[in-house]
Amino acid sequence: MSIYSRISEIFDVKDLLQTKNPIKKELGITKVELDKGKGSGSIQLHITEENRGKQRVLLFSQDKSGKDFGHFRYNNRTYQNDNGDIVQFIANRLESKRLNDAIKLLNKHNYRTNASKWKENKDFEIVSKKNRQSGSKPLDIEKFDNLRTINELILNEEKHYLQKRNVSNDVLLDPKFIDRVMVYDNTVNTSNGPVTFTNTFFPKFDDNNTIVGAEIKTGAKTNNNLCLGIDCMLWNSNKPETVDKVALFESAIDAISHYQMDPSGNKNTWYFSTNGNFYETRQNWLWEKIESSGLNKNDYTLVLAMDRDLDGFIYDLAVYNKVLQDQYPNAGQEQQAFFSIGNDNGRPSIDFHTHHPKLTQEVNEWFFNLQDHFNAIYINSNENHHINIKSSNDRISLVFPSKSKLEDAGKRISASLARNIPALNKSNVRTHKASYLGKPVEDWNAALSISAKQAPKNQINGLKNKKSSI
């Protein structure tokens, strides 16, 4: 057995990257994300280094034939020739690039004695494929057969996909959505022969009014959601002459559904859709789009109408972080995300990181209120595992007993966060999660669908009441 194998049996590259240890800090690794969207066969991490930026790293414990190494090795998919065991990983990040110097660094921190202690402190974030940029396919507008506005189908009284989603034709003909909803014909070969679907095409226009991207809903049951063209752009409605609200959704259909449920109240609302993925480049595009339009943030309300789930909460946190970065530019480390979803010894957490003592105190108080609220529910349900708060240096973590508990909390606490942190409460940001008659639902199209189903019942009940009064 080689010296390298003996080292890896004590402390391998997976241990190095996923725990809190001085070696990782000395190598300049500032962030590690575990990608839960990766399939079986390997562990996919996204690591950020001070000198080499963000990288995609695969960890694996078996060779191609299935033989077990007895420890984890790595393969860097961002930089070629960066692969091997923990010793090679360290050496590739040292100025000398020498394996012996990597072993000296391990011995410097007495890894044989301290490895077991380091392994007890997990230090990485959990992300999913949905939370990361996935890159759109190219858009060749000339290849779209018979691309046209949906107005033509409506005026010819032809059926379309959005009718199945309970979207009104009158709303689609509203000036807010003129030319912002289109359709095209797409022929698919099936076992019964070719079938033509009319797909819905939500165009993204550049400053020259040229279509350079699209959010697409297909008529087929498979591959229903597509994103083509310039990926960083968001679909948006036509901008009203007067803008009271800028509303942010995870799909164009949700945005249109929101408007349909209250047209008069949203007359001056400018709608945007993230297409279910609000990563950093899209966030930056949104802020630049709003600023270039001439809007002052004091003149409108930014409405967060994301889905009522954990991903929706994470997208809300991205906006809250932007607000805090603007108000406290020196309270974090460079582009430090004040709020993030993290991990504490295998348990999910909501983390807050800042150098600002007042912000720390405010978030700490909010965390304690959440801890008391949810733990009271768990105790009433006779559950043994509870939420707890951990703090170290300038980081506070609200640690949940399981991912399902975090997901459940994420559905409810976005508005509470905005209300209870003064810097956010005084900002122009407000949350508006989907609901119908006060009952929470997943998204705004779901709320519209419930409303549409209830309408016939309400009409029947109205007739009954009218007859009884005659």
Side-chain angles (χ1 to χ4, degrees), residues 73-248:
R73 297 174 65 86
Y74 80 101
N75 188 321
N76 193 328
R77 309 301 289 181
T78 303
Y79 295 108
Q80 293 182 352
N81 301 321
D82 182 18
N83 54 76
D85 57 14
I86 182 174
V87 178
Q88 190 66 63
F89 181 91
I90 295 173
N92 287 345
R93 283 148 183 82
L94 298 178
E95 185 176 354
S96 69
K97 305 297 181 184
R98 294 179 47 163
L99 299 179
N100 285 340
D101 288 341
I103 296 174
K104 287 180 182 179
L105 178 59
L106 284 161
N107 289 328
K108 170 187 172 182
H109 293 285
N110 198 6
Y111 79 97
R112 292 183 181 88
T113 301
N114 293 324
S116 58
K117 181 178 66 176
W118 295 338
K119 292 178 185 179
E120 293 176 0
N121 296 308
K122 303 297 182 184
D123 183 30
F124 59 90
E125 297 180 15
I126 298 176
V127 299
S128 66
K129 187 176 180 180
K130 185 178 180 181
N131 295 332
R132 294 185 293 101
Q133 177 177 357
S134 56
S136 294
K137 296 180 180 179
L139 172 66
D140 185 351
I141 203 71
E142 295 181 358
K143 291 185 178 180
F144 283 82
D145 187 23
N146 198 21
L147 181 65
R148 58 209 185 273
T149 65
I150 201 168
N151 307 26
E152 295 183 25
L153 293 184
I154 295 172
L155 296 176
N156 293 328
E157 297 184 349
E158 298 179 46
K159 293 182 179 180
H160 55 82
Y161 171 74
L162 293 182
Q163 287 176 317
K164 298 178 182 179
R165 304 291 293 269
N166 298 293
V167 175
S168 164
N169 284 339
D170 291 339
V171 167
L172 293 172
L173 293 174
D174 187 282
K176 193 179 298 291
F177 303 113
I178 290 295
D179 296 332
R180 298 288 168 160
V181 185
M182 309 179 81
V183 293
Y184 68 96
D185 298 328
N186 183 46
T187 301
V188 177
N189 293 320
T190 70
S191 57
N192 296 321
V195 177
T196 299
F197 294 97
T198 301
N199 293 344
T200 309
F201 184 102
F202 298 97
K204 301 176 183 180
F205 293 93
D206 65 10
D207 294 336
N208 296 318
N209 207 32
T210 300
I211 298 175
V212 293
E215 178 180 326
I216 295 175
K217 301 293 181 182
T218 69
K221 292 183 180 180
T222 58
N223 200 21
N224 183 254
N225 300 297
L226 298 174
C227 190
L228 303 179
I230 300 179
D231 198 75
C232 67
M233 295 180 67
L234 278 64
W235 172 89
N236 58 271
S237 67
N238 291 311
K239 180 188 172 192
E241 290 187 13
T242 301
V243 178
D244 295 334
K245 291 181 285 188
V246 173
L248 195 58

Side-chain angles (χ1 to χ4, degrees), residues 298-440:
N298 297 319
D299 297 334
Y300 68 91
T301 299
L302 179 59
V303 179
L304 303 182
M306 305 292 194
D307 291 358
R308 195 186 290 272
D309 57 17
L310 181 58
D311 284 316
F313 177 59
I314 292 172
Y315 300 152
D316 290 346
L317 290 182
V319 178
Y320 296 149
N321 285 338
K322 168 65 175 175
V323 173
L324 294 176
Q325 286 166 5
D326 288 346
Q327 294 193 28
Y328 302 96
N330 299 316
Q333 295 179 348
E334 298 178 355
Q335 293 300 315
Q336 171 69 45
F338 289 81
F339 286 101
S340 61
I341 301 300
N343 182 284
D344 181 84
N345 291 326
R347 295 191 300 163
S349 62
I350 301 174
D351 296 341
F352 183 75
H353 187 190
T354 184
H355 304 313
H356 197 283
K358 184 179 178 182
L359 274 177
T360 300
Q361 180 183 353
E362 292 168 356
V363 173
N364 197 42
E365 291 176 359
W366 183 64
F367 275 2
F368 269 107
N369 289 333
L370 288 182
Q371 176 186 245
D372 293 344
H373 171 75
F374 284 107
N375 282 346
I377 296 174
Y378 301 159
I379 291 171
N380 289 335
S381 302
N382 295 317
E383 298 185 35
N384 296 324
H385 301 288
H386 301 148
I387 292 174
N388 61 77
I389 296 174
K390 289 192 174 183
S391 60
S392 61
N393 297 327
D394 47 11
R395 183 183 297 273
I396 314 170
S397 298
L398 185 68
V399 184
F400 290 78
S402 66
K403 185 178 179 182
S404 63
K405 297 296 185 186
L406 173 61
E407 290 175 341
D408 178 65
K411 296 176 182 179
R412 316 188 216 174
I413 62 178
S414 185
S416 171
L417 171 57
R419 286 195 306 268
N420 287 281
I421 307 303
L424 298 177
N425 192 31
K426 294 176 183 177
S427 73
N428 67 325
V429 179
R430 295 293 179 268
T431 59
H432 194 198
K433 297 295 182 182
S435 64
Y436 179 74
L437 297 180
K439 295 182 178 180

